[in-house]
Amino acid sequence: MADLSKDTLLDMYRNMVVIRRLEEKSAELYQQGLIGGFLHLYIGQEATGVGAVWALGEDDHVITAYRDHGIAVSIGIEPKYILAEMMGKTTGVSKGKGGSMHLADKDKHFWGGYAIVGGHLPLATGLALRARYKDENFAVLCLMGDGSTNIGYFHESLNMSAVWDLPVVWMIENNQYGMGTAVDRASGETELVKRAVGYGMKEGPRVDGMDVLAVYDATKEALEYAKKNGPILMESLTYRFVGHSMGDPERYRTKEEVHEYQEGDPIRIFGDKLIGEHKVTQEQLDVFDREARDLINEAVEFATNSPNPEFDDLFVDIYS
Amino acid sequence: MKMMTIREAISNALREEMDRDDDVFIMGEEVGVWGGTYAVTRGFYDDYGERRVRDTPISEMAIVGAATGAAMNGLRPVAELMTINFAFVAMDAIVNHAAKVRYMFGGQFTVPLVIRTTTGGGRQLGATHSHSPEAIFAHFPGLYIACPSNAYDAYGMLKASIRDDNPVMFVEHSTLYQKRAEVPVDDPDFMLPIGKSNIAREGSDVTLVSYSKGVHIALEAAEQLEKDGVSAEVVDLRWLRPLDTDLFIESFKKTNRMVVVDEGYPMFGVASEITAQVMDHAFDWMDAPVKRVSAEDAPLPYSRELEQMALPDAEKVVKAVKEIVY
């Protein structure tokens, strides 16, 4: 069980709340036309991103798919640079070139969100190759949706990581739908971690993805395993409370199903735990919530007042 | 200077760069124990070991994708795709990732990656193994495309590609490996500048523009034309991206006539692009229509005779020149 100080636990809680408030605000800005393109929200999955990222050591790395806002916040990118990116401003993390799906911060070892399903999987293999090539002690956490397990990239990348004993934690954020197609309608084997067998790879746990500390513990252990031995495949069983992206009519699931999962809201569960086991008061949690709202409002102001890129920026950073 | 084949020149360049920089390594199908399907990396596995000469599964998407990830994280991979025909399988990794990660993340990432591969028809390998699709890759900003025609260029261009911080597709012609030329192997830092083309033969009546094997076809045509009293200048593009527009435009302004030779298909190809560049930059110097000599617009067949008929040759180039030199 996680041996974390109360301060750390509170920081993790705060992190989850900031993600939730950021996502709600993003939806609002999208509806106002201030954010364009596709917007995939992390609401409901916060425990997975926060638990997994907080388990990373200083030298470890993380890479993810396009549902990347929660990972960006957890790795420590200030919301103002995230919102500025979503609003296409030069102050955004990717200078307005990437948008919601392409957040990254190289200095923080966050190698980005990627919009082609599975496209980042071989990148993770390659990022991890450095550890073996130069005999360095780090692991790469590669988050992916359940949908990405059926694309060729998954097969080739996991197999290559196994052949070369690379330190990758392949974590499937199984939110039960690849867009609108349920896992059992898309995968012959629905217990996705079992795919590990086909690669001679360590089959990791299927962790409760709504329990931030369970995700933290499992990821921590997986990272240690990967550094010592090689790749491991694990699943975080989670659920998104909102559509795949903005404008999803959600015909593939019932409102009752969503409500049922919302009963197990990962932020509320963690909050209750903090109150019950760590002598935190509801008032304290309410303060965090207000602080998060203020932080996001300031971020919107920063992004709104940031400059738009100009024509000449089109040709910057195509080549080094 | 030392006389050597293109195969030896590439092999030498790889060895020198691996000796110079431990971060340079090779990965691909059959590059190690086998020694490379075109024998370019023969002996490398014994000399450098499996850490730096990495045999991969038959997984083109992961070869390019993992090489891109390794490059982003500070290594300098030379990834090999056995032939450019298999690059279609890795198209997303090349076009959407290797070529784009720098731009898409606001310049945070650098991709010092070389993808070595072979191109070209003429070996009776049938429709799927005989493509010359360089133009497709040259279409995308974010990549460099190197297409050497001789050993000297291959040596200097590969060394420059490995030392550059951008993703380069280094496209070797599968029928040219035995071509010999003088190579400056005595200078370990010899490199040819990226994006600079070359006058392979001087002339005054018509400009023949080509790259890779097409340069040899153009040179052969130029010999024949000389006997008929036509002086042809041959421009070797060397790189399709960055495209050195200046040199062939300068040549065209001198000769006022042009034939472009390439082994790709005629529609939407390299020759089409060069022609458009002439329209953009030198319309007033044009004395005759620019002609294209490309592969015929059909999949390449197995039959030896039929395949040869489909490919460009000196005869076709001479005929095209005579249509515009009057």
PDB file of all heavy atoms in Angstrom, chain B residues 2 24 45 48 50 63 77 84 94 101 116-117 162 167 182 207 242 245 264-265 271 284 286-287 294 296 310-311:
ATOM      1  N   LYS B   2      39.481   7.001 -53.283  1.00  0.00           N
ATOM      2  CA  LYS B   2      39.585   5.571 -53.518  1.00  0.00           C
ATOM      3  C   LYS B   2      38.411   5.147 -54.402  1.00  0.00           C
ATOM      4  O   LYS B   2      37.273   5.598 -54.188  1.00  0.00           O
ATOM      5  CB  LYS B   2      39.515   4.846 -52.175  1.00  0.00           C
ATOM      6  CG  LYS B   2      39.964   3.400 -52.252  1.00  0.00           C
ATOM      7  CD  LYS B   2      39.888   2.733 -50.874  1.00  0.00           C
ATOM      8  CE  LYS B   2      39.956   1.224 -51.048  1.00  0.00           C
ATOM      9  NZ  LYS B   2      39.499   0.494 -49.871  1.00  0.00           N
ATOM     10  N   VAL B  24      25.164   6.550 -32.794  1.00  0.00           N
ATOM     11  CA  VAL B  24      24.706   6.099 -34.117  1.00  0.00           C
ATOM     12  C   VAL B  24      24.609   4.575 -34.092  1.00  0.00           C
ATOM     13  O   VAL B  24      25.576   3.890 -33.733  1.00  0.00           O
ATOM     14  CB  VAL B  24      25.686   6.548 -35.224  1.00  0.00           C
ATOM     15  CG1 VAL B  24      25.231   6.001 -36.584  1.00  0.00           C
ATOM     16  CG2 VAL B  24      25.791   8.070 -35.271  1.00  0.00           C
ATOM     17  N   TYR B  45      27.745  -6.817 -37.837  1.00  0.00           N
ATOM     18  CA  TYR B  45      27.285  -7.498 -36.619  1.00  0.00           C
ATOM     19  C   TYR B  45      28.475  -8.036 -35.816  1.00  0.00           C
ATOM     20  O   TYR B  45      28.527  -7.909 -34.594  1.00  0.00           O
ATOM     21  CB  TYR B  45      26.334  -8.632 -37.012  1.00  0.00           C
ATOM     22  CG  TYR B  45      25.622  -9.291 -35.856  1.00  0.00           C
ATOM     23  CD1 TYR B  45      24.511  -8.696 -35.271  1.00  0.00           C
ATOM     24  CD2 TYR B  45      26.045 -10.525 -35.368  1.00  0.00           C
ATOM     25  CE1 TYR B  45      23.835  -9.301 -34.220  1.00  0.00           C
ATOM     26  CE2 TYR B  45      25.382 -11.140 -34.316  1.00  0.00           C
ATOM     27  CZ  TYR B  45      24.276 -10.522 -33.750  1.00  0.00           C
ATOM     28  OH  TYR B  45      23.617 -11.127 -32.707  1.00  0.00           O
ATOM     29  N   TYR B  48      30.484  -4.731 -34.511  1.00  0.00           N
ATOM     30  CA  TYR B  48      29.850  -3.796 -33.565  1.00  0.00           C
ATOM     31  C   TYR B  48      28.949  -4.486 -32.533  1.00  0.00           C
ATOM     32  O   TYR B  48      28.599  -3.876 -31.524  1.00  0.00           O
ATOM     33  CB  TYR B  48      29.042  -2.735 -34.316  1.00  0.00           C
ATOM     34  CG  TYR B  48      29.903  -1.837 -35.183  1.00  0.00           C
ATOM     35  CD1 TYR B  48      30.063  -2.090 -36.539  1.00  0.00           C
ATOM     36  CD2 TYR B  48      30.566  -0.745 -34.632  1.00  0.00           C
ATOM     37  CE1 TYR B  48      30.858  -1.276 -37.330  1.00  0.00           C
ATOM     38  CE2 TYR B  48      31.364   0.080 -35.405  1.00  0.00           C
ATOM     39  CZ  TYR B  48      31.513  -0.194 -36.761  1.00  0.00           C
ATOM     40  OH  TYR B  48      32.297   0.611 -37.533  1.00  0.00           O
ATOM     41  N   GLU B  50      25.415  -6.828 -31.206  1.00  0.00           N
ATOM     42  CA  GLU B  50      23.960  -6.676 -31.363  1.00  0.00           C
ATOM     43  C   GLU B  50      23.405  -5.421 -30.695  1.00  0.00           C
ATOM     44  O   GLU B  50      22.269  -5.049 -30.922  1.00  0.00           O
ATOM     45  CB  GLU B  50      23.234  -7.916 -30.840  1.00  0.00           C
ATOM     46  CG  GLU B  50      23.436  -8.164 -29.366  1.00  0.00           C
ATOM     47  CD  GLU B  50      22.683  -9.415 -28.902  1.00  0.00           C
ATOM     48  OE1 GLU B  50      22.059 -10.081 -29.738  1.00  0.00           O
ATOM     49  OE2 GLU B  50      22.746  -9.695 -27.690  1.00  0.00           O
ATOM     50  N   ILE B  63       9.590  -0.441 -36.740  1.00  0.00           N
ATOM     51  CA  ILE B  63      10.976  -0.070 -37.060  1.00  0.00           C
ATOM     52  C   ILE B  63      11.074   1.456 -37.167  1.00  0.00           C
ATOM     53  O   ILE B  63      11.905   2.084 -36.508  1.00  0.00           O
ATOM     54  CB  ILE B  63      11.446  -0.735 -38.375  1.00  0.00           C
ATOM     55  CG1 ILE B  63      11.584  -2.251 -38.178  1.00  0.00           C
ATOM     56  CG2 ILE B  63      12.765  -0.125 -38.850  1.00  0.00           C
ATOM     57  CD1 ILE B  63      11.784  -3.031 -39.469  1.00  0.00           C
ATOM     58  N   PRO B  77      19.523   6.877 -34.734  1.00  0.00           N
ATOM     59  CA  PRO B  77      19.338   5.618 -35.447  1.00  0.00           C
ATOM     60  C   PRO B  77      19.426   5.755 -36.968  1.00  0.00           C
ATOM     61  O   PRO B  77      18.995   6.760 -37.542  1.00  0.00           O
ATOM     62  CB  PRO B  77      17.917   5.185 -35.053  1.00  0.00           C
ATOM     63  CG  PRO B  77      17.254   6.391 -34.500  1.00  0.00           C
ATOM     64  CD  PRO B  77      18.297   7.349 -34.058  1.00  0.00           C
ATOM     65  N   ILE B  84      11.748   0.265 -50.405  1.00  0.00           N
ATOM     66  CA  ILE B  84      10.820   1.386 -50.218  1.00  0.00           C
ATOM     67  C   ILE B  84       9.380   0.924 -50.368  1.00  0.00           C
ATOM     68  O   ILE B  84       8.458   1.582 -49.878  1.00  0.00           O
ATOM     69  CB  ILE B  84      11.159   2.537 -51.190  1.00  0.00           C
ATOM     70  CG1 ILE B  84      10.586   3.867 -50.688  1.00  0.00           C
ATOM     71  CG2 ILE B  84      10.682   2.226 -52.610  1.00  0.00           C
ATOM     72  CD1 ILE B  84      11.161   5.092 -51.372  1.00  0.00           C
ATOM     73  N   ILE B  94       6.135   7.239 -40.732  1.00  0.00           N
ATOM     74  CA  ILE B  94       7.012   8.177 -41.424  1.00  0.00           C
ATOM     75  C   ILE B  94       6.369   9.560 -41.517  1.00  0.00           C
ATOM     76  O   ILE B  94       6.939  10.570 -41.108  1.00  0.00           O
ATOM     77  CB  ILE B  94       7.348   7.674 -42.852  1.00  0.00           C
ATOM     78  CG1 ILE B  94       8.103   6.336 -42.795  1.00  0.00           C
ATOM     79  CG2 ILE B  94       8.154   8.719 -43.632  1.00  0.00           C
ATOM     80  CD1 ILE B  94       8.239   5.641 -44.147  1.00  0.00           C
ATOM     81  N   VAL B 101       6.494  15.294 -35.543  1.00  0.00           N
ATOM     82  CA  VAL B 101       6.512  15.519 -34.089  1.00  0.00           C
ATOM     83  C   VAL B 101       7.194  16.835 -33.715  1.00  0.00           C
ATOM     84  O   VAL B 101       6.819  17.469 -32.735  1.00  0.00           O
ATOM     85  CB  VAL B 101       7.152  14.357 -33.285  1.00  0.00           C
ATOM     86  CG1 VAL B 101       6.279  13.123 -33.359  1.00  0.00           C
ATOM     87  CG2 VAL B 101       8.557  14.065 -33.740  1.00  0.00           C
ATOM     88  N   ARG B 116      17.183   4.380 -44.202  1.00  0.00           N
ATOM     89  CA  ARG B 116      17.809   3.911 -45.452  1.00  0.00           C
ATOM     90  C   ARG B 116      16.883   2.908 -46.127  1.00  0.00           C
ATOM     91  O   ARG B 116      16.334   2.017 -45.483  1.00  0.00           O
ATOM     92  CB  ARG B 116      19.139   3.197 -45.167  1.00  0.00           C
ATOM     93  CG  ARG B 116      20.338   4.107 -44.949  1.00  0.00           C
ATOM     94  CD  ARG B 116      21.634   3.285 -44.897  1.00  0.00           C
ATOM     95  NE  ARG B 116      21.729   2.407 -46.043  1.00  0.00           N
ATOM     96  CZ  ARG B 116      21.844   1.068 -45.985  1.00  0.00           C
ATOM     97  NH1 ARG B 116      21.910   0.467 -44.829  1.00  0.00           N
ATOM     98  NH2 ARG B 116      21.912   0.371 -47.082  1.00  0.00           N
ATOM     99  N   THR B 117      16.734   3.056 -47.436  1.00  0.00           N
ATOM    100  CA  THR B 117      15.885   2.113 -48.144  1.00  0.00           C
ATOM    101  C   THR B 117      16.292   2.046 -49.613  1.00  0.00           C
ATOM    102  O   THR B 117      17.103   2.859 -50.066  1.00  0.00           O
ATOM    103  CB  THR B 117      14.393   2.506 -47.983  1.00  0.00           C
ATOM    104  OG1 THR B 117      13.577   1.454 -48.494  1.00  0.00           O
ATOM    105  CG2 THR B 117      14.061   3.792 -48.710  1.00  0.00           C
ATOM    106  N   ILE B 162      23.358  11.516 -41.565  1.00  0.00           N
ATOM    107  CA  ILE B 162      23.495  10.967 -40.206  1.00  0.00           C
ATOM    108  C   ILE B 162      23.812  12.077 -39.208  1.00  0.00           C
ATOM    109  O   ILE B 162      23.328  12.071 -38.077  1.00  0.00           O
ATOM    110  CB  ILE B 162      24.585   9.866 -40.173  1.00  0.00           C
ATOM    111  CG1 ILE B 162      24.108   8.641 -40.965  1.00  0.00           C
ATOM    112  CG2 ILE B 162      24.932   9.475 -38.740  1.00  0.00           C
ATOM    113  CD1 ILE B 162      25.167   7.566 -41.179  1.00  0.00           C
ATOM    114  N   PRO B 167      14.765  14.190 -39.846  1.00  0.00           N
ATOM    115  CA  PRO B 167      14.551  12.868 -40.442  1.00  0.00           C
ATOM    116  C   PRO B 167      14.828  12.882 -41.952  1.00  0.00           C
ATOM    117  O   PRO B 167      14.294  13.721 -42.675  1.00  0.00           O
ATOM    118  CB  PRO B 167      13.069  12.578 -40.160  1.00  0.00           C
ATOM    119  CG  PRO B 167      12.435  13.886 -39.885  1.00  0.00           C
ATOM    120  CD  PRO B 167      13.502  14.811 -39.369  1.00  0.00           C
ATOM    121  N   GLU B 182      35.246   7.415 -57.702  1.00  0.00           N
ATOM    122  CA  GLU B 182      36.245   7.842 -56.717  1.00  0.00           C
ATOM    123  C   GLU B 182      35.516   8.425 -55.506  1.00  0.00           C
ATOM    124  O   GLU B 182      34.598   9.241 -55.647  1.00  0.00           O
ATOM    125  CB  GLU B 182      37.139   8.940 -57.319  1.00  0.00           C
ATOM    126  CG  GLU B 182      38.003   8.474 -58.482  1.00  0.00           C
ATOM    127  CD  GLU B 182      39.289   7.815 -58.007  1.00  0.00           C
ATOM    128  OE1 GLU B 182      39.546   7.832 -56.789  1.00  0.00           O
ATOM    129  OE2 GLU B 182      40.011   7.262 -58.865  1.00  0.00           O
ATOM    130  N   THR B 207      18.580  21.047 -71.142  1.00  0.00           N
ATOM    131  CA  THR B 207      18.881  20.612 -69.771  1.00  0.00           C
ATOM    132  C   THR B 207      18.123  19.323 -69.475  1.00  0.00           C
ATOM    133  O   THR B 207      16.901  19.266 -69.640  1.00  0.00           O
ATOM    134  CB  THR B 207      18.446  21.696 -68.757  1.00  0.00           C
ATOM    135  OG1 THR B 207      19.165  22.903 -69.040  1.00  0.00           O
ATOM    136  CG2 THR B 207      18.723  21.254 -67.334  1.00  0.00           C
ATOM    137  N   PRO B 242      15.412  18.993 -49.297  1.00  0.00           N
ATOM    138  CA  PRO B 242      15.051  20.261 -49.928  1.00  0.00           C
ATOM    139  C   PRO B 242      15.377  20.215 -51.417  1.00  0.00           C
ATOM    140  O   PRO B 242      16.443  19.706 -51.776  1.00  0.00           O
ATOM    141  CB  PRO B 242      15.944  21.288 -49.225  1.00  0.00           C
ATOM    142  CG  PRO B 242      16.558  20.592 -48.042  1.00  0.00           C
ATOM    143  CD  PRO B 242      16.535  19.134 -48.344  1.00  0.00           C
ATOM    144  N   THR B 245      16.040  24.300 -56.354  1.00  0.00           N
ATOM    145  CA  THR B 245      15.411  24.867 -57.553  1.00  0.00           C
ATOM    146  C   THR B 245      16.392  25.739 -58.330  1.00  0.00           C
ATOM    147  O   THR B 245      16.381  25.751 -59.570  1.00  0.00           O
ATOM    148  CB  THR B 245      14.177  25.702 -57.141  1.00  0.00           C
ATOM    149  OG1 THR B 245      13.334  24.886 -56.333  1.00  0.00           O
ATOM    150  CG2 THR B 245      13.389  26.168 -58.349  1.00  0.00           C
ATOM    151  N   GLY B 264       9.605   7.252 -61.482  1.00  0.00           N
ATOM    152  CA  GLY B 264       8.267   7.170 -60.903  1.00  0.00           C
ATOM    153  C   GLY B 264       7.216   7.261 -62.002  1.00  0.00           C
ATOM    154  O   GLY B 264       7.537   7.339 -63.192  1.00  0.00           O
ATOM    155  N   TYR B 265       5.967   7.265 -61.598  1.00  0.00           N
ATOM    156  CA  TYR B 265       4.892   7.390 -62.585  1.00  0.00           C
ATOM    157  C   TYR B 265       4.786   8.828 -63.072  1.00  0.00           C
ATOM    158  O   TYR B 265       5.171   9.757 -62.362  1.00  0.00           O
ATOM    159  CB  TYR B 265       3.572   6.914 -61.979  1.00  0.00           C
ATOM    160  CG  TYR B 265       3.584   5.430 -61.714  1.00  0.00           C
ATOM    161  CD1 TYR B 265       3.394   4.925 -60.442  1.00  0.00           C
ATOM    162  CD2 TYR B 265       3.827   4.536 -62.766  1.00  0.00           C
ATOM    163  CE1 TYR B 265       3.434   3.556 -60.205  1.00  0.00           C
ATOM    164  CE2 TYR B 265       3.867   3.171 -62.542  1.00  0.00           C
ATOM    165  CZ  TYR B 265       3.678   2.685 -61.262  1.00  0.00           C
ATOM    166  OH  TYR B 265       3.724   1.351 -61.028  1.00  0.00           O
ATOM    167  N   ALA B 271       8.902  14.657 -61.994  1.00  0.00           N
ATOM    168  CA  ALA B 271       9.009  15.400 -63.252  1.00  0.00           C
ATOM    169  C   ALA B 271       7.927  16.472 -63.354  1.00  0.00           C
ATOM    170  O   ALA B 271       8.170  17.578 -63.850  1.00  0.00           O
ATOM    171  CB  ALA B 271       8.919  14.431 -64.434  1.00  0.00           C
ATOM    172  N   ASP B 284       9.538  32.919 -68.966  1.00  0.00           N
ATOM    173  CA  ASP B 284       9.976  33.790 -70.071  1.00  0.00           C
ATOM    174  C   ASP B 284      11.205  33.264 -70.800  1.00  0.00           C
ATOM    175  O   ASP B 284      11.570  33.781 -71.851  1.00  0.00           O
ATOM    176  CB  ASP B 284      10.268  35.203 -69.541  1.00  0.00           C
ATOM    177  CG  ASP B 284       8.980  35.901 -69.111  1.00  0.00           C
ATOM    178  OD1 ASP B 284       7.904  35.459 -69.567  1.00  0.00           O
ATOM    179  OD2 ASP B 284       9.048  36.848 -68.309  1.00  0.00           O
ATOM    180  N   MET B 286      11.447  30.099 -71.750  1.00  0.00           N
ATOM    181  CA  MET B 286      11.026  28.825 -72.326  1.00  0.00           C
ATOM    182  C   MET B 286      10.898  28.901 -73.847  1.00  0.00           C
ATOM    183  O   MET B 286      10.120  29.696 -74.370  1.00  0.00           O
ATOM    184  CB  MET B 286       9.677  28.441 -71.695  1.00  0.00           C
ATOM    185  CG  MET B 286       9.321  26.985 -71.850  1.00  0.00           C
ATOM    186  SD  MET B 286       7.766  26.609 -70.992  1.00  0.00           S
ATOM    187  CE  MET B 286       8.236  26.764 -69.289  1.00  0.00           C
ATOM    188  N   ASP B 287      11.694  28.087 -74.545  1.00  0.00           N
ATOM    189  CA  ASP B 287      11.616  28.056 -76.006  1.00  0.00           C
ATOM    190  C   ASP B 287      10.799  26.882 -76.529  1.00  0.00           C
ATOM    191  O   ASP B 287      10.486  26.821 -77.717  1.00  0.00           O
ATOM    192  CB  ASP B 287      13.038  27.967 -76.619  1.00  0.00           C
ATOM    193  CG  ASP B 287      13.729  29.328 -76.591  1.00  0.00           C
ATOM    194  OD1 ASP B 287      13.063  30.320 -76.223  1.00  0.00           O
ATOM    195  OD2 ASP B 287      14.926  29.382 -76.914  1.00  0.00           O
ATOM    196  N   SER B 294       9.097   9.462 -67.837  1.00  0.00           N
ATOM    197  CA  SER B 294       8.914   8.738 -66.581  1.00  0.00           C
ATOM    198  C   SER B 294       8.631   7.277 -66.907  1.00  0.00           C
ATOM    199  O   SER B 294       8.701   6.873 -68.063  1.00  0.00           O
ATOM    200  CB  SER B 294       7.739   9.345 -65.808  1.00  0.00           C
ATOM    201  OG  SER B 294       7.931  10.731 -65.628  1.00  0.00           O
ATOM    202  N   GLU B 296       6.138   4.212 -67.625  1.00  0.00           N
ATOM    203  CA  GLU B 296       4.814   4.205 -68.242  1.00  0.00           C
ATOM    204  C   GLU B 296       3.758   4.128 -67.142  1.00  0.00           C
ATOM    205  O   GLU B 296       4.029   3.619 -66.050  1.00  0.00           O
ATOM    206  CB  GLU B 296       4.671   3.015 -69.197  1.00  0.00           C
ATOM    207  CG  GLU B 296       5.671   3.000 -70.354  1.00  0.00           C
ATOM    208  CD  GLU B 296       5.536   4.189 -71.302  1.00  0.00           C
ATOM    209  OE1 GLU B 296       4.416   4.752 -71.408  1.00  0.00           O
ATOM    210  OE2 GLU B 296       6.549   4.568 -71.929  1.00  0.00           O
ATOM    211  N   ALA B 310       8.482  -0.608 -69.873  1.00  0.00           N
ATOM    212  CA  ALA B 310       7.754   0.317 -68.996  1.00  0.00           C
ATOM    213  C   ALA B 310       8.665   1.374 -68.384  1.00  0.00           C
ATOM    214  O   ALA B 310       8.210   2.443 -67.980  1.00  0.00           O
ATOM    215  CB  ALA B 310       7.064  -0.467 -67.886  1.00  0.00           C
ATOM    216  N   LEU B 311       9.964   1.079 -68.312  1.00  0.00           N
ATOM    217  CA  LEU B 311      10.893   1.977 -67.611  1.00  0.00           C
ATOM    218  C   LEU B 311      11.510   3.009 -68.557  1.00  0.00           C
ATOM    219  O   LEU B 311      11.614   2.770 -69.761  1.00  0.00           O
ATOM    220  CB  LEU B 311      12.007   1.143 -66.958  1.00  0.00           C
ATOM    221  CG  LEU B 311      11.548   0.195 -65.846  1.00  0.00           C
ATOM    222  CD1 LEU B 311      12.669  -0.762 -65.458  1.00  0.00           C
ATOM    223  CD2 LEU B 311      11.065   0.983 -64.628  1.00  0.00           C
TER     224      LEU B 311
END
